[in-house]
Amino acid sequence: MADSTDGNGELKQQPVYVSYPTFKNTIRGWGADGHALPGTIDKSLLSTMSGTAQALFLAALEEFGLLSSDNSPTERLKHLAGCDDQAWKEELSRLLKAQRPRAVELL
């Protein structure tokens, strides 16, 4: 999460923002045609993105528990990368409910 201050000058965390098409297409692209994900997920895999977009994308993966502390993909990321359209929707729904229950509740 990104840090910012509230109106009282207190530090609070803001969720990282990555566009949905970028998030989905990048992850699904890694698993296209049954290819295995690389052992390390880093900026070298995101060469079509700007430096800022790369940093935000990697932060989003970390925030959602899709990237291990050593930058290796978690089992959940591996699963997401190989999902068909219906499985992607179901898995993403579970992920959002687990990681952003308050936001999902507001929908």
Side-chain angles (χ1 to χ4, degrees), residues 23-33 80-85 88:
F23 186 77
K24 180 180 179 184
N25 294 336
T26 302
I27 292 174
R28 300 265 318 265
W30 288 339
D33 302 322
L80 265 176
C83 285
D84 62 21
D85 287 338
W88 171 269

Side-chain angles (χ1 to χ4, degrees), residues 17-75:
Y17 176 78
V18 175
S19 77
Y20 178 72
T22 298
F23 186 77
K24 180 180 179 184
N25 294 336
T26 302
I27 292 174
R28 300 265 318 265
W30 288 339
D33 302 322
H35 291 115
L37 264 68
T40 301
I41 305 295
D42 59 22
K43 290 182 177 186
S44 69
L45 298 173
L46 307 171
S47 61
T48 61
M49 296 180 192
S50 70
T52 300
Q54 291 173 353
L56 290 172
F57 187 86
L58 292 172
L61 291 180
E62 290 176 19
E63 191 173 317
F64 281 121
L66 299 174
L67 198 59
S68 299
S69 60
D70 64 353
N71 288 348
S72 63
T74 62
E75 289 304 313

Side-chain angles (χ1 to χ4, degrees), residues 83-95:
C83 285
D84 62 21
D85 287 338
Q86 186 58 39
W88 171 269
K89 291 175 188 176
E90 293 167 3
E91 186 62 27
L92 190 62
S93 175
R94 282 191 286 276
L95 177 67

